[in-house]
Amino acid sequence: IQQQSKSGEVSFITFSIAVGESKDKTTFFPVVAFGKLGEKVASLIVKGHQVLVEGRIDVNEKGYFNIVASHIRLGATPSPIQPVKKSE
């Protein structure tokens, strides 16, 4: 989601990445990317797209955290689901 700071001086995007340990266990990590980096990837990141995020972890006073991205690399694009053809 592309946003502007309260002052309107800084643009940023937020999204979550999913890391799966197994079929039944997936952990979601919140990511924020500021400025030009955020603008570049805002339209490119879609659900299911493989992504590598490098950055730092920022923890607020309530204990919530975000990964503040310094580099984002896009991996494989998700392939569309093809309908299964019934044999006649």
Side-chain angles (χ1 to χ4, degrees), residues 9-70:
E9 295 177 10
V10 179
S11 65
F12 62 96
I13 65 163
T14 59
F15 60 96
S16 294
I17 54 173
V19 177
E21 293 180 27
S22 66
K23 269 186 174 178
D24 300 329
K25 185 166 181 175
T26 302
T27 304
F28 292 88
F29 294 93
V31 177
V32 62
F34 290 96
K36 298 272 186 210
L37 177 62
E39 292 171 14
K40 286 181 183 178
V41 299
S43 62
L44 301 174
I45 294 178
V46 296
K47 183 177 179 178
H49 204 142
Q50 291 180 349
V51 61
L52 171 66
V53 176
E54 295 179 42
R56 63 181 172 81
I57 297 175
D58 182 46
V59 182
N60 70 14
E61 61 278 352
K62 293 183 180 180
Y64 296 107
F65 74 93
N66 284 310
I67 298 170
V68 180
S70 56

Side-chain angles (χ1 to χ4, degrees), residues 82-88:
Q82 299 294 325
V84 177
K85 294 182 181 180
K86 293 182 180 179
S87 58
E88 295 180 39

